[in-house]
Amino acid sequence: MKLLKVHGSGNDFFILDQQQFKQPLAESQLQLLAEKICNRKTGLHGGADGVLAVGASSKESAAVGRMRVINADGSEASMCGNGLRTVARYLSLQNQQATFKVQTMYADLQVKQSTDFAPQVKVFAAEISPVSFAAKDLKMHFAGREKLINQELPEIATDFKFSAVAVPNPHLIAFVSHQQLIGSKLGEIASYLNDGKNPYFPDGVNVSFVEILAENKIFVRTYERGVGYTNACGTAMSAASLMYVLLYQPQNFEQQIEVQNPGGMVKTVAHQRSNKSYWISLIGNATFVAKVTVPLADALQGDFKAITWEETGEQQAYENFVRGLKKSEL
Ligand SMILES: N[C@H](CCC[C@H](N)C(=O)O)C(=O)O
C-alpha cells in the first residue's frame, strides 16, 4: 500500500489514495488503519495527526477529487484545513491543474496553488466553508444558548470568554493573554469537552486559545478533537481569524492576517459574501515529507517492519523557512 507523509504548518497526515485499491477500504479498515499508523508511540515512522483519504468525487460533483478526514483516534471529521492544502497539491499534480474544487463532507471547496513561501516550500490556498454559529451545527448544548459569541461559560471555566463556530467542523475559540496561552487551562478545558461524556459537546470540539500579537497578527494554539495538542489546526486558525475580525477589527475583512502557531505560520483572509455568509481563505505550506509503502495487512496489525520511506527533502526546506520567521513561541 502506498502512502504520502505530508504536513501543513506541522500538522501532519498520511495521504491514502483509495484509487490504488480495486475496492476502497471498508470503513472499519480505514478507522483501524488510522489508529494504527497515526499512533505517536507505536505507529508508522512517528505517527501522525490523522489520515486524509483521497478518492474520486461523486458523479454529481464538479470537484476533481474527494477528501475524507480521519483523526488519529479513528473518528471522522467534516473538514481539515491544513490537510486540504496538501490534498490540493496532490490532486494538482495528479490532474495538472492549479485551481479546482475538492469535494468534502459538506461542500466542494475551491483550492489553488499560491506563491511558494520559500524554495521547496510549496503553498496552496484553500476555501474554508461553510461557516455557522448555530448550536445545532456545532452539536453544542448550553442551556438556552443558541449561539456563543465572546461569552463566558461558567459551566466549564471562569476568566475566559468563548466563541463557538463551525467551519464546518466545530471550534471553541477564546482570546487570551500570553500567560493563559502557554498555561495548562487549554488542555484541561479541551480534554473535558472531548471526554465523550460531557453534556455540552457530546461529539467533542476543537478548542483554541488565541493571543493577539499586533494588528492582523495572531498566535493560535489548538487542542484538537480526536488528536490532542497539534502543531497547528487549519480550521481553527481560520475560525480564530474570523472571530478576530468580527470581535476586534470589523473593518479588516479582505485583509491578510498572519497566523502563527507552534508548527510555523499560515496566512488567512476573512470574507463576507453578499448574502452575509462568511468564509475564510487559508494560505499555507503543503509539504510532502516522504513517499511510504507498507503492506496493508501489516499496517492493520501495527507491524511496520517492512516499510519503505523515501524522503523528498522538503522537510529540511520547511524547517529552514520556520527558523527564518520572526515568530512568537509558546
Ligand atoms: N480534529 C479536527 C479535524 C482535523 C482538523 C485540523 N487538523 C485542521 O487542519 O483543520 C476535528 O475533529 O474536527
Side-chain angles (χ1 to χ4, degrees):
M1 169 179 63
K2 287 188 291 181
L3 295 165
L4 185 63
K5 183 70 188 301
V6 300
H7 75 75
S9 212
N11 187 205
D12 62 341
F13 306 96
F14 290 105
I15 287 183
L16 169 71
D17 188 337
Q18 293 256 46
Q19 295 164 104
Q20 68 182 290
F21 304 121
K22 287 196 207 51
Q23 290 294 331
L25 297 186
E27 289 304 294
S28 57
Q29 282 187 316
L30 186 55
Q31 178 176 341
L32 179 61
L33 181 69
E35 290 169 40
K36 292 292 185 188
I37 65 177
C38 294
N39 189 295
R40 288 295 184 194
K41 295 187 183 65
T42 60
L44 207 176
H45 209 281
D49 293 330
V51 168
L52 304 169
V54 173
S57 54
S58 49
K59 54 185 177 314
E60 60 276 2
S61 159
V64 153
R66 182 180 175 208
M67 173 185 79
R68 292 178 61 191
V69 183
I70 317 296
N71 285 315
D73 71 350
S75 62
E76 180 163 8
S78 57
M79 189 36 200
C80 177
N82 287 321
L84 180 55
R85 300 198 310 273
T86 65
V87 167
R89 180 179 173 198
Y90 177 79
L91 290 171
S92 75
L93 292 169
Q94 206 176 54
N95 297 282
Q96 295 307 304
Q97 290 182 24
T99 180
F100 49 90
K101 290 200 175 192
V102 177
Q103 184 179 9
T104 64
M105 192 181 284
Y106 294 133
D108 291 357
L109 300 175
Q110 191 71 34
V111 296
K112 73 174 184 309
Q113 181 144 21
S114 191
T115 312
D116 297 0
F117 276 172
Q120 279 205 302
V121 180
K122 293 295 176 195
V123 172
F124 273 75
E127 172 192 358
I128 305 295
S129 176
V131 172
S132 169
F133 295 99
K136 68 173 172 43
D137 295 330
L138 286 147
K139 299 199 176 86
M140 170 176 79
H141 307 279
F142 286 100
R145 271 173 286 183
E146 273 313 294
K147 272 190 184 183
L148 267 183
I149 309 278
N150 205 33
Q151 287 184 352
E152 294 189 350
L153 276 179
E155 298 90 332
I156 57 167
T158 55
D159 308 330
F160 296 97
K161 287 189 174 180
F162 294 97
S163 300
V165 54
V167 291
N169 59 335
H171 289 272
L172 197 61
I173 308 274
F175 287 86
V176 299
S177 68
H178 186 70
Q179 284 314 309
Q180 289 170 322
L181 180 88
I182 62 177
S184 62
K185 266 287 175 216
L186 173 57
E188 288 164 26
I189 293 166
S191 39
Y192 168 60
L193 292 178
N194 287 288
D195 67 0
K197 300 193 291 283
N198 74 89
Y200 308 113
F201 286 97
D203 281 5
V205 61
N206 302 284
V207 187
S208 297
F209 279 5
V210 186
E211 181 187 358
I212 299 173
L213 302 172
E215 183 171 357
N216 291 348
K217 190 187 279 191
I218 59 178
F219 192 106
V220 180
R221 185 187 184 203
T222 304
Y223 184 109
E224 284 195 41
R225 173 178 64 172
V227 195
Y229 280 116
T230 58
N231 279 319
C233 176
T235 46
M237 294 188 284
S238 303
S241 300
L242 175 62
M243 292 323 301
Y244 166 72
V245 169
L246 288 174
L247 297 177
Y248 299 93
Q249 296 287 353
Q251 310 310 320
N252 290 17
F253 279 101
E254 303 306 323
Q255 293 184 20
Q256 203 160 79
I257 297 168
E258 179 180 315
V259 185
Q260 299 185 5
N261 54 71
M265 177 278 293
V266 300
K267 294 176 181 168
T268 59
V269 180
H271 308 274
Q272 184 167 27
R273 299 185 183 94
S274 47
N275 69 3
K276 300 296 172 221
S277 64
Y278 300 113
W279 66 284
I280 304 105
S281 302
L282 174 67
I283 305 142
N285 73 301
T287 294
F288 289 177
V289 176
K291 293 180 181 167
V292 189
T293 66
V294 57
L296 172 60
D298 288 7
L300 291 173
Q301 291 171 34
D303 175 356
F304 302 114
K305 287 191 287 298
I307 73 164
T308 67
W309 180 272
E310 184 194 338
E311 299 260 340
T312 64
E314 292 183 24
Q315 183 54 21
Q316 192 54 56
Y318 181 75
E319 288 170 10
N320 294 341
F321 159 69
V322 172
R323 260 197 296 281
L325 290 174
K326 286 187 282 312
K327 190 167 88 68
S328 175
E329 293 299 333
L330 280 186

